[in-house]
Amino acid sequence: MRKARLPGFALAIPAWVWLATFFIAPVAVVFYYSFGYKPGLFGTHATDRLSLDRYVEVLTPTFFETFVATMWIALAGTALCLVIGGPVAYWMAVKAPPSWRGLLLALVLVPFWTNFLVRTIGWQVILAPEGWMSQAAQAIGLPAFDILYTRTAVLLGVVYNYLPLMILPLFVAFDRVGEPLREASRDLGANRLRTFWRVTLPLAQPGIVVGMLLVYIPLMGDYITATVLGGAKGNMVGQMVAAQFQTAQNWALGSAMAVTLVIVIVLSAAVVGGLCWLGTWPLRRANRVVLDAPEEVTA
Amino acid sequence: MSAPTTAPTRTRTPRRPLLDRLLPVWAVVVFVFLFAPIIVIVVYSFNTGRLLASFDEFGFDSFLALFRKPVLMDAVLVSLRTGAIAAVLATLLGTLAGIALARRPGKWTAWFVGLLILVSVTPEIVDAISLLPWLVFLGQDLGLSIFNDGTVRLVIGHSLFSVAVVSYIVRARLVGLPANLEEASADLYAPPLRTFRKITLPLAMPAVLAGLLLSFTFSLDNTIVSSFVQVSGATPWPVYVLSALRGGLRPEIAAVSTIMLVLTLVALGVVALVLRRAGDSSTQIARTLAGG
């Protein structure tokens, strides 16, 4: 009865072709470059001799320290976003009057939709040692701000910039649990803490994981925040990679760094995910519901 | 929500738990934190001084600079133009892919989703450094002069991540809606194209709109890829700001940002209105925007 159907993936072909041409192909080329070397002062890359030497170079302490520092900032930033944004998302989804929700969500979205760079510059103005905030602090006897261009400033900027990306999925996750289930839990005699621990949190867990990934992954590659608030001291991997291409003109090393960055992101996300899974094992075990009726009751 | 037919309402203990009183306080603190730099930028856009960070006097000079300095206006226009084209392109590709993922899953899905995940976990800087040599290769070595055009380069760079995001959002929306309506339409002898136009597309519409808006925002925000692939004469706004950062920021930057903030608020309001008229609650809107 039916005429010949298009294959299922037909509608995905345009997107596939686009991504193959402008994502897979260029990234594959960079992957290839990463096995090459820098020939002399004026060349950017050569691939007539292929080796893993650039990766060895990336793993030397000079460069690898930056990887570790970036990962530290990314992990700390993600954890802080979770700790700061979690209660807000919970309040918005569970405790706040439902009629406020639209407004509250808009309040989270406005900073998210303000230009990333401009928001960060706003912090630069606030934190400036000679700015009015600093003067106000001095007026009431506090020391002048001197955190601009330090790791603390970078961390603050990073938490600020990625906080909406944590609040939104957490809000959706907490909201999805729904009032009826919480009510049921309370009706069945669980107190508030128990309801949170055994109903709300386990059901919201996928959203929490999504939020953490949404913050952690872009944060690992971000270097704009560090450039604006960290100056020279807030060195991130992204800055290092960019410098290899823009100033040092060593494309082979830069490519190896870029590939290592992607590997580090995927591996560390997997490790953190695995640790979270292991860490919540007692929780899941305690929450396990045995659906089979006990023998003695059925007998 | 449920009708209180069963138990008579029990009078609650008047004292609310401490946590319930602390949560809104914490939320207020976080909202102040979220808005602090934005308010600072808006206030400092009325600074008549030479440097952004040192407030001199209140005035509108910085807004007038927009008319005196064509560079500023050009950068904003490049950004808006690129954003519009990149958003439409990414939404088109992503919507089709998302519909295919939701309605025609098969063996190919795993591969395609794998590609989308790879695109979305790849940091911007990696896209940037790989696109630059590639575009030079296409434009100069292969002689495809279209790839030497500034807008084309920016659109390509901005579209990659957005295609993945739109695909996720549209897929998530359609997976949540059973295919009953499409099946009914086909049973009533509507040709596939009409079913697509009259049923599938309207069902996916809120997600399509959210995707369009998100892509536009991502494009306006994109700094890293832009700074690599841009050609002189087509510098987008964030790259202009980044280069201004090195030479000392002037209040004009804040003025332009304030104007763009107002435009964003208007756009946000319009989209919220459209989504609401399409029957979405604010929660559903957030759900759509958060991708599921």
Side-chain angles (χ1 to χ4, degrees):
Chain A
M1 184 181 134
R2 272 194 174 276
K3 280 181 279 181
R5 273 168 66 122
L6 287 169
F9 52 83
L11 288 178
I13 289 174
W16 192 87
V17 169
W18 187 261
L19 293 178
T21 317
F22 298 113
F23 178 77
I24 299 177
V27 169
V29 170
V30 159
F31 187 63
Y32 178 59
Y33 284 170
S34 71
F35 299 106
Y37 62 98
K38 178 176 165 69
L41 197 55
F42 299 108
T44 53
H45 63 287
T47 43
D48 51 339
R49 273 188 289 111
L50 298 181
S51 68
L52 286 171
D53 292 355
R54 297 297 80 70
Y55 288 95
V56 174
E57 213 175 318
V58 170
L59 295 179
T60 54
T62 1
F63 296 125
F64 203 71
E65 261 172 25
T66 309
F67 275 92
V68 175
T70 306
M71 217 156 90
W72 188 86
I73 289 210
L75 286 174
T78 310
L80 279 172
C81 279
L82 186 63
V83 170
I84 294 171
V88 178
Y90 181 75
W91 178 72
M92 284 168 63
V94 179
K95 301 288 176 185
S99 57
W100 290 14
R101 281 185 190 170
L103 180 70
L104 291 172
L105 280 170
L107 285 179
V108 179
L109 285 174
V110 168
F112 180 55
W113 274 332
T114 311
N115 187 281
F116 186 82
L117 192 52
V118 169
R119 284 183 282 168
T120 317
I121 289 171
W123 278 112
Q124 202 187 38
V125 173
I126 294 175
L127 298 178
E130 67 281 1
W132 59 269
M133 279 285 281
S134 178
Q135 282 169 359
Q138 277 168 292
I140 58 168
L142 292 167
F145 284 10
D146 58 351
I147 68 164
L148 191 60
Y149 306 129
T150 62
R151 282 210 183 279
T152 320
V154 174
L155 198 57
L156 182 136
V158 147
V159 168
Y160 176 81
N161 275 332
Y162 294 93
L163 192 55
L165 284 176
M166 181 66 91
I167 294 182
L168 282 179
L170 285 185
F171 169 82
V172 173
F174 283 130
D175 180 63
R176 195 165 266 178
V177 178
E179 184 55 27
L181 269 180
R182 285 192 298 271
E183 217 168 280
S185 164
R186 280 192 298 268
D187 285 352
L188 291 170
N191 63 16
R192 298 156 48 86
L193 191 67
R194 209 170 148 86
T195 301
F196 178 77
W197 206 240
R198 298 200 50 175
V199 177
T200 312
L201 202 57
L203 284 171
Q205 204 193 359
I208 297 173
V209 173
V210 168
M212 286 172 69
L213 288 177
L214 273 180
V215 172
Y216 178 75
I217 292 169
L219 217 163
M220 277 297 285
D222 174 29
Y223 65 94
I224 299 297
T225 315
T227 314
V228 178
L229 295 175
K233 277 178 258 173
N235 206 7
M236 305 276 280
V237 176
Q239 259 166 324
M240 201 166 72
V241 176
Q244 290 304 324
F245 278 81
Q246 286 175 325
T247 50
Q249 296 288 334
N250 188 345
W251 289 15
L253 182 59
S255 300
M257 284 174 178
V259 173
T260 312
L261 177 61
V262 175
I263 293 173
V264 167
I265 290 178
V266 172
L267 278 186
S268 55
V271 167
V272 171
L275 285 180
C276 283
W277 190 81
L278 278 180
T280 53
W281 184 73
L283 188 68
R284 279 198 314 279
R285 195 182 150 84
N287 283 339
R288 196 174 49 189
V289 177
V290 182
L291 288 177
D292 299 327
E295 297 288 319
E296 51 272 71
V297 179
T298 46
Chain B
M1 280 307 287
S2 55
T5 44
T6 47
T9 43
R10 190 159 51 92
T11 43
R12 285 231 166 260
T13 43
R15 211 175 62 82
R16 296 172 68 198
L18 183 67
L19 203 64
D20 275 16
R21 281 174 293 159
L22 281 181
L23 273 176
V25 175
W26 180 247
V28 169
V29 171
V30 170
F31 280 119
V32 169
F33 173 67
L34 281 176
F35 277 85
I38 297 174
I39 292 167
V40 164
I41 286 290
V42 172
V43 169
Y44 274 67
S45 63
F46 297 100
N47 176 10
T48 58
R50 246 185 52 76
L51 283 173
L52 174 69
S54 53
F55 200 96
D56 199 15
E57 259 178 81
F58 180 90
F60 296 91
D61 292 15
S62 53
F63 287 91
L64 296 173
L66 214 58
F67 302 100
R68 275 187 283 108
K69 281 193 175 172
V71 197
L72 279 173
M73 205 62 189
D74 284 350
V76 173
L77 288 179
V78 167
S79 267
L80 291 177
R81 190 174 58 220
T82 311
I85 302 174
V88 169
L89 182 82
T91 308
L92 199 72
L93 297 174
T95 303
L96 293 179
I99 289 174
L101 283 173
R103 289 295 186 250
R104 300 286 197 83
K107 261 193 202 132
W108 65 280
T109 338
W111 290 100
F112 192 69
V113 169
L115 172 62
L116 292 182
I117 290 175
L118 196 62
V119 170
S120 37
V121 302
T122 303
E124 245 184 84
I125 178 68
V126 178
D127 287 339
I129 54 133
S130 34
L131 263 180
L132 179 60
W134 184 249
L135 291 173
V136 171
F137 167 73
L138 291 177
Q140 277 155 29
D141 300 351
L142 292 189
L144 305 166
S145 56
I146 187 173
F147 294 111
N148 298 330
D149 181 77
T151 311
V152 172
R153 282 169 161 232
L154 291 172
V155 165
I156 290 173
H158 295 182
S159 65
L160 300 174
F161 182 67
S162 299
V163 169
V165 171
V166 177
S167 307
Y168 291 141
I169 297 180
V170 170
R171 191 199 78 95
R173 164 95 191 172
L174 285 180
V175 162
L177 300 166
N180 298 348
L181 284 173
E182 279 125 310
E183 280 157 17
S185 164
D187 286 350
L188 294 170
Y189 298 108
L193 206 62
R194 188 181 299 168
T195 304
F196 182 80
R197 205 161 44 86
K198 294 266 183 186
I199 311 283
T200 314
L201 216 50
L203 283 179
M205 215 26 147
V208 174
L209 268 180
L212 188 75
L213 195 76
L214 274 180
S215 314
F216 185 66
T217 324
F218 287 147
S219 172
L220 281 190
D221 258 6
N222 190 301
T223 317
I224 297 177
V225 174
S226 306
S227 68
F228 269 81
V229 302
Q230 64 141 350
V231 292
S232 56
T235 303
W237 171 244
V239 178
Y240 176 83
V241 176
L242 195 65
S243 60
L245 202 58
R246 292 183 187 119
L249 290 168
R250 299 171 58 86
E252 289 113 69
I253 304 264
V256 177
S257 307
T258 304
I259 294 172
M260 287 176 93
L261 176 66
V262 173
L263 289 179
T264 309
L265 288 180
V266 172
L268 191 65
V270 169
V271 170
L273 265 182
V274 171
L275 288 182
R276 176 139 314 164
R277 289 186 75 182
D280 274 20
S281 71
S282 51
T283 317
Q284 274 170 311
I285 297 173
R287 204 173 271 186
T288 310
L289 287 177

